[in-house]
Amino acid sequence: MNELGHRCQASPVQVETSFACLREEFQEFKTEMLSVLELLRNQISVLCKSIDDIEMRHRRKYLLVGGIPEDNNIDLTDTVVSSLINKIGLALSVEKLSVCVHLANIVEGQCGPVMLRFTEPSLRATVWSMKTALKGTSHTISEFLTR
């Protein structure tokens, strides 16, 4: 800064030259920073897409079953299996489910969906293909996907 001050006091021509040089350097710096910011934005976008893909691959293994009432006295897995057997007519047993969890209520007064994970991917595909048998009932089957 002292050097720049001495140059400014030395001669008006040199001052103008040093300001022009400073302006050029600032423009180069600004251009470089904008390109770095654009690169960071692109990397963040790619990372967000990758995370979403990973999350989708994980969630693809699950199905959501709606319309199952929440009752603390009855085992949830037994309730879900008996509902699916009665409504779909699928030969299903409790051992075929590796995860059966009631998710939080989204709307007050309504029961939240039950998240299911099957031990066999083929069984999940079978249940998913038979979801139309639930038409006209209070039960629904949906996939557990990201937005």
Side-chain angles (χ1 to χ4, degrees):
M1 289 303 283
N2 289 335
E3 184 182 331
L4 186 60
H6 290 298
R7 283 189 206 166
C8 289
Q9 291 174 357
S11 80
V13 175
Q14 287 179 346
V15 170
E16 201 167 299
T17 307
S18 64
F19 280 136
C21 183
L22 185 62
R23 188 179 310 122
E24 256 181 57
E25 289 176 2
F26 176 73
Q27 287 299 329
E28 288 175 16
F29 176 75
K30 182 179 170 184
T31 305
E32 184 69 26
M33 286 298 109
L34 289 175
S35 67
V36 168
L37 283 174
E38 186 62 31
L39 179 67
L40 288 173
R41 283 186 188 123
N42 290 339
Q43 287 178 344
I44 289 171
S45 173
V46 168
L47 287 174
C48 287
K49 186 176 178 348
S50 297
I51 289 171
D52 191 52
D53 289 345
I54 291 168
E55 182 74 17
M56 284 293 289
R57 247 182 270 128
H58 176 70
R59 286 183 173 208
R60 222 175 257 140
K61 301 171 186 173
Y62 295 91
L63 285 178
L64 296 178
V65 178
I68 305 291
E70 194 170 353
D71 189 0
N72 295 334
N73 299 330
I74 302 172
D75 184 34
L76 180 63
T77 308
D78 292 333
T79 306
V80 170
V81 168
S82 64
S83 292
L84 289 177
I85 289 172
N86 292 338
K87 304 290 182 183
I88 296 179
L90 181 68
L92 185 67
S93 64
V94 175
E95 294 81 31
K96 299 284 184 176
L97 295 175
S98 61
V99 175
C100 183
V101 178
H102 227 134
L103 298 180
N105 294 346
I106 298 171
V107 179
E108 191 65 34
Q110 292 183 357
C111 56
V114 176
M115 182 173 64
L116 300 178
R117 181 172 180 181
F118 299 93
T119 55
E120 302 169 15
S122 60
L123 184 58
R124 182 229 181 256
T126 303
V127 171
W128 176 247
S129 66
M130 298 178 81
K131 70 178 185 266
T132 55
L134 296 175
K135 208 171 219 175
T137 67
S138 62
H139 293 68
T140 60
I141 295 179
S142 61
E143 291 183 310
F144 186 50
L145 304 177
T146 62
R147 291 183 185 178

